Protein backbone atom coordinates (compact mmCIF):
# COMPACT_ATOMS: atom_id res chain seq x y z
CA UNK A 1 0.00 0.00 0.00
CA UNK A 2 0.90 3.66 -0.08
CA UNK A 3 2.98 5.21 2.65
CA UNK A 4 4.62 8.50 3.56
CA UNK A 5 7.68 8.80 5.77
CA UNK A 6 8.76 12.17 7.02
CA UNK A 7 11.53 13.41 9.19
CA UNK A 8 10.98 12.87 12.87
CA UNK A 9 10.68 15.89 15.02
CA UNK A 10 10.64 17.99 16.91
CA UNK A 11 12.79 20.41 14.96
CA UNK A 12 13.96 23.58 16.70
CA UNK A 13 15.58 26.40 14.74
CA UNK A 14 16.57 29.98 15.31
CA UNK A 15 14.85 32.70 13.33
CA UNK A 16 16.31 33.15 9.82
CA UNK A 17 17.76 29.63 9.77
CA UNK A 18 17.37 27.34 6.75
CA UNK A 19 14.69 24.68 7.04
CA UNK A 20 14.53 21.23 5.46
CA UNK A 21 11.94 18.65 6.40
CA UNK A 22 12.47 15.39 4.55
CA UNK A 23 9.60 13.41 3.07
CA UNK A 24 9.75 10.19 1.08
CA UNK A 25 6.88 8.13 -0.21
CA UNK A 26 5.92 4.77 -1.66
CA UNK A 27 3.05 4.49 -4.09
CA UNK A 28 1.96 2.07 -6.76
CA UNK A 29 1.05 4.68 -9.36
CA UNK A 30 1.52 8.39 -9.95
CA UNK A 31 0.36 10.27 -6.88
CA UNK A 32 0.03 13.95 -6.23
CA UNK A 33 2.09 15.19 -3.31
CA UNK A 34 1.15 17.76 -0.70
CA UNK A 35 2.46 19.62 2.30
CA UNK A 36 -0.10 20.67 4.86
CA UNK A 37 0.57 22.91 7.86
CA UNK A 38 -1.23 22.86 11.19
CA UNK A 39 -0.84 25.95 13.37
CA UNK A 40 -1.49 25.57 17.10
CA UNK A 41 -5.15 24.99 17.88
CA UNK A 42 -6.20 24.89 14.23
CA UNK A 43 -7.00 22.39 11.51
CA UNK A 44 -4.64 21.48 8.69
CA UNK A 45 -4.38 23.75 5.69
CA UNK A 46 -2.69 23.25 2.37
CA UNK A 47 0.76 24.79 2.17
CA UNK A 48 1.74 23.61 -1.32
CA UNK A 49 1.33 20.75 -3.73
CA UNK A 50 2.79 19.17 -6.85
CA UNK A 51 0.86 16.92 -9.19
CA UNK A 52 3.55 15.38 -11.38
CA UNK A 53 7.24 14.57 -11.45
CA UNK A 54 9.63 17.56 -11.47
CA UNK A 55 6.86 19.97 -10.50
CA UNK A 56 7.79 22.48 -7.83
CA UNK A 57 5.18 23.66 -5.37
CA UNK A 58 5.76 26.94 -3.58
CA UNK A 59 3.94 29.18 -1.13
CA UNK A 60 4.89 31.68 1.60
CA UNK A 61 8.59 31.14 0.92
CA UNK A 62 8.31 27.36 1.23
CA UNK A 63 9.22 25.09 -1.68
CA UNK A 64 9.15 21.39 -2.45
CA UNK A 65 10.03 19.56 -5.67
CA UNK A 66 8.44 16.27 -6.74
CA UNK A 67 11.37 13.92 -7.31
CA UNK A 68 10.17 10.67 -8.82
CA UNK A 69 13.66 9.14 -9.06
CA UNK A 70 14.18 9.45 -5.31
CA UNK A 71 10.47 9.28 -4.39
CA UNK A 72 10.89 12.41 -2.34
CA UNK A 73 9.15 15.72 -1.70
CA UNK A 74 11.35 17.58 0.78
CA UNK A 75 10.09 20.86 2.20
CA UNK A 76 12.50 23.80 2.30
CA UNK A 77 12.50 27.42 3.36
CA UNK A 78 15.47 29.71 3.19
CA UNK A 79 14.75 31.81 6.27
CA UNK A 80 12.22 30.73 8.86
CA UNK A 81 10.26 33.04 11.10
CA UNK A 82 8.74 32.54 14.54
CA UNK A 83 5.32 32.52 12.87
CA UNK A 84 6.32 29.35 10.94
CA UNK A 85 6.17 27.35 14.17
CA UNK A 86 3.64 24.63 13.44
CA UNK A 87 3.25 20.94 12.62
CA UNK A 88 3.99 20.06 8.99
CA UNK A 89 2.44 17.03 7.28
CA UNK A 90 3.55 15.48 4.02
CA UNK A 91 0.79 13.64 2.17
CA UNK A 92 0.07 11.84 -1.07
CA UNK A 93 -3.14 11.30 -2.96
CA UNK A 94 -3.53 8.52 -5.47
CA UNK A 95 -6.74 6.63 -4.97
CA UNK A 96 -10.07 8.31 -5.24
CA UNK A 97 -11.16 9.75 -1.94
CA UNK A 98 -8.12 8.78 0.10
CA UNK A 99 -4.96 10.59 1.05
CA UNK A 100 -2.08 9.11 3.01
CA UNK A 101 -0.46 11.40 5.57
CA UNK A 102 2.94 11.26 7.21
CA UNK A 103 3.26 11.40 10.97
CA UNK A 104 3.86 15.14 11.09
CA UNK A 105 6.96 17.12 12.03
CA UNK A 106 6.74 19.75 14.75
CA UNK A 107 8.77 22.87 14.01
CA UNK A 108 9.59 25.43 16.67
CA UNK A 109 11.33 28.64 15.63
CA UNK A 110 12.95 30.68 18.40
CA UNK A 111 13.59 34.43 18.18
CA UNK B 1 -18.15 32.50 5.93
CA UNK B 2 -16.26 29.50 7.36
CA UNK B 3 -15.56 26.86 4.73
CA UNK B 4 -15.64 23.76 6.94
CA UNK B 5 -17.16 24.13 10.38
CA UNK B 6 -17.48 21.67 13.24
CA UNK B 7 -19.46 21.72 16.46
CA UNK B 8 -18.71 21.53 19.25
CA UNK B 9 -15.10 22.72 19.45
CA UNK B 10 -14.63 21.05 22.82
CA UNK B 11 -16.46 18.04 24.22
CA UNK B 12 -15.87 16.63 27.68
CA UNK B 13 -17.87 13.59 28.69
CA UNK B 14 -17.91 10.49 30.84
CA UNK B 15 -17.02 6.97 29.76
CA UNK B 16 -20.01 5.06 28.44
CA UNK B 17 -21.87 8.11 27.14
CA UNK B 18 -23.00 8.60 23.54
CA UNK B 19 -22.06 11.82 21.74
CA UNK B 20 -22.22 13.38 18.29
CA UNK B 21 -19.99 15.80 16.42
CA UNK B 22 -21.41 17.80 13.53
CA UNK B 23 -19.66 18.99 10.41
CA UNK B 24 -20.82 21.28 7.63
CA UNK B 25 -19.03 22.55 4.53
CA UNK B 26 -20.19 25.44 2.34
CA UNK B 27 -17.68 24.85 -0.46
CA UNK B 28 -20.01 22.79 -2.62
CA UNK B 29 -17.66 19.82 -2.36
CA UNK B 30 -18.77 16.28 -3.10
CA UNK B 31 -16.57 14.43 -0.62
CA UNK B 32 -16.25 14.70 3.15
CA UNK B 33 -13.98 12.94 5.62
CA UNK B 34 -13.45 12.27 9.30
CA UNK B 35 -9.96 12.04 10.74
CA UNK B 36 -8.71 11.29 14.24
CA UNK B 37 -5.57 12.99 15.55
CA UNK B 38 -4.00 11.58 18.69
CA UNK B 39 -1.87 13.32 21.30
CA UNK B 40 1.28 12.73 19.22
CA UNK B 41 -0.32 14.54 16.28
CA UNK B 42 -0.66 11.34 14.23
CA UNK B 43 -3.52 11.74 11.77
CA UNK B 44 -5.63 8.76 10.80
CA UNK B 45 -8.49 8.67 8.34
CA UNK B 46 -11.67 7.12 9.69
CA UNK B 47 -14.34 7.57 7.00
CA UNK B 48 -15.07 9.34 3.78
CA UNK B 49 -18.34 9.99 1.99
CA UNK B 50 -18.93 10.99 -1.60
CA UNK B 51 -22.36 12.44 -2.35
CA UNK B 52 -23.76 10.87 0.81
CA UNK B 53 -22.32 7.43 0.02
CA UNK B 54 -19.69 5.79 2.19
CA UNK B 55 -16.52 5.20 0.16
CA UNK B 56 -13.85 4.69 2.81
CA UNK B 57 -14.36 2.90 6.08
CA UNK B 58 -11.07 2.24 7.79
CA UNK B 59 -10.68 -0.16 10.67
CA UNK B 60 -12.71 1.77 13.18
CA UNK B 61 -14.78 0.29 16.03
CA UNK B 62 -18.42 0.02 15.09
CA UNK B 63 -19.19 2.31 18.03
CA UNK B 64 -18.36 5.05 15.51
CA UNK B 65 -21.10 5.71 12.98
CA UNK B 66 -20.98 8.48 10.39
CA UNK B 67 -24.15 9.93 8.96
CA UNK B 68 -24.47 12.14 5.91
CA UNK B 69 -27.94 13.68 5.59
CA UNK B 70 -26.83 15.63 2.51
CA UNK B 71 -23.56 16.24 0.75
CA UNK B 72 -22.86 19.38 2.79
CA UNK B 73 -23.04 17.59 6.14
CA UNK B 74 -21.22 14.67 7.69
CA UNK B 75 -21.87 13.94 11.33
CA UNK B 76 -20.05 11.49 13.57
CA UNK B 77 -21.87 9.63 16.29
CA UNK B 78 -19.94 7.73 18.94
CA UNK B 79 -21.57 5.19 21.23
CA UNK B 80 -20.27 3.93 24.57
CA UNK B 81 -17.32 6.30 24.71
CA UNK B 82 -14.01 4.92 25.98
CA UNK B 83 -10.93 6.62 27.40
CA UNK B 84 -9.01 5.79 24.22
CA UNK B 85 -11.46 7.82 22.16
CA UNK B 86 -9.97 11.01 23.58
CA UNK B 87 -8.44 12.84 20.64
CA UNK B 88 -9.02 15.71 18.25
CA UNK B 89 -11.44 14.84 15.46
CA UNK B 90 -11.18 16.69 12.18
CA UNK B 91 -13.71 16.93 9.42
CA UNK B 92 -12.49 17.71 5.92
CA UNK B 93 -13.88 18.06 2.43
CA UNK B 94 -12.61 17.96 -1.13
CA UNK B 95 -14.07 18.71 -4.52
CA UNK B 96 -13.72 15.63 -6.62
CA UNK B 97 -12.09 12.40 -5.52
CA UNK B 98 -12.09 10.87 -8.98
CA UNK B 99 -8.76 12.52 -9.71
CA UNK B 100 -5.74 12.55 -7.46
CA UNK B 101 -4.99 16.27 -7.34
CA UNK B 102 -7.58 17.10 -4.75
CA UNK B 103 -6.75 19.47 -1.92
CA UNK B 104 -8.52 18.70 1.33
CA UNK B 105 -10.03 21.51 3.38
CA UNK B 106 -10.06 20.89 7.11
CA UNK B 107 -12.33 22.09 9.84
CA UNK B 108 -10.95 23.54 13.08
CA UNK B 109 -11.29 20.25 14.96
CA UNK B 110 -13.27 18.96 17.93
CA UNK B 111 -11.26 18.10 21.02
CA UNK B 112 -12.95 15.16 22.71
CA UNK B 113 -11.98 14.30 26.27
CA UNK B 114 -13.40 11.17 27.84
CA UNK B 115 -13.15 11.02 31.64
Amino acid sequence: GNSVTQMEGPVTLSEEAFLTINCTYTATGYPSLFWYVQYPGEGLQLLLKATKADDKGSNKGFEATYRKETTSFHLEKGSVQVSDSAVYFCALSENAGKSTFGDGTTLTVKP
Amino acid sequence: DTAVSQTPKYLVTQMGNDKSIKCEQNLGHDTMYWYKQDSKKFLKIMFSYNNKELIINETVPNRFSPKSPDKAHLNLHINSLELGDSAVYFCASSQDPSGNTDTQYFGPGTRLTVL
Side-chain angles (χ1 to χ4, degrees):
Chain A
N2 296 342
S3 68
V4 174
T5 302
Q6 62 181 100
M7 188 166 114
E8 277 192 39
V11 174
T12 302
L13 295 173
S14 298
E15 209 164 22
E16 299 184 3
F18 185 85
L19 169 71
T20 300
I21 301 178
N22 289 339
C23 172
T24 58
Y25 68 91
T26 57
T28 52
Y30 303 97
S32 292
L33 301 173
F34 303 79
W35 277 101
Y36 287 84
V37 59
Q38 183 181 25
Y39 297 106
E42 298 183 9
L44 281 72
Q45 57 185 272
L46 179 70
L47 180 59
L48 54 84
K49 71 179 184 182
T51 58
K52 60 183 188 297
D54 300 325
D55 269 2
K56 178 189 280 188
S58 60
N59 186 24
K60 298 181 183 180
F62 291 89
E63 292 184 342
T65 301
Y66 188 165
R67 301 282 187 206
K68 190 179 173 193
E69 63 277 11
T70 53
T71 62
S72 65
F73 193 54
H74 304 320
L75 182 69
E76 295 182 337
K77 186 174 185 183
S79 175
V80 292
Q81 305 300 312
V82 172
S83 57
D84 294 326
S85 298
V87 183
Y88 292 82
F89 291 90
C90 185
L92 70 81
S93 176
E94 184 180 29
N95 299 322
K98 183 171 180 179
S99 292
T100 302
F101 286 81
D103 289 342
T105 302
T106 299
L107 170 67
T108 301
V109 180
K110 297 190 172 178
Chain B
D1 211 17
T2 306
V4 182
S5 58
Q6 297 179 225
T7 53
K9 188 165 175 64
Y10 300 96
L11 184 53
V12 181
T13 189
Q14 300 287 331
M15 265 192 340
N17 284 350
D18 303 338
K19 290 294 178 186
S20 291
I21 306 172
K22 295 186 176 181
C23 177
E24 176 180 2
Q25 54 95 3
N26 63 7
L27 297 168
H29 288 168
D30 290 330
T31 306
M32 296 183 73
Y33 311 80
W34 276 110
Y35 289 88
K36 178 180 180 181
Q37 185 176 48
D38 65 19
S39 58
K40 294 184 178 179
K41 303 293 187 184
F42 298 150
L43 196 67
K44 180 182 173 184
I45 189 167
M46 302 173 70
F47 304 101
S48 78
Y49 271 71
N50 178 249
N51 268 321
K52 303 195 298 173
E53 277 193 40
L54 181 66
I55 56 172
I56 291 174
N57 185 353
E58 293 294 296
T59 308
V60 175
N62 58 15
R63 299 182 294 103
F64 291 79
S65 53
K67 284 188 172 52
S68 182
D70 56 60
K71 77 172 193 177
H73 295 84
L74 180 63
N75 303 324
L76 183 65
H77 188 75
I78 316 170
N79 288 329
S80 303
L81 278 155
E82 299 178 357
L83 294 176
D85 297 333
S86 296
V88 181
Y89 292 83
F90 287 101
C91 178
S93 72
S94 64
Q95 173 61 35
D96 177 10
S98 61
N100 69 352
T101 62
D102 248 12
T103 298
Q104 295 195 22
Y105 294 80
F106 285 77
T110 295
R111 181 174 294 276
L112 171 65
T113 303
V114 182
L115 303 175

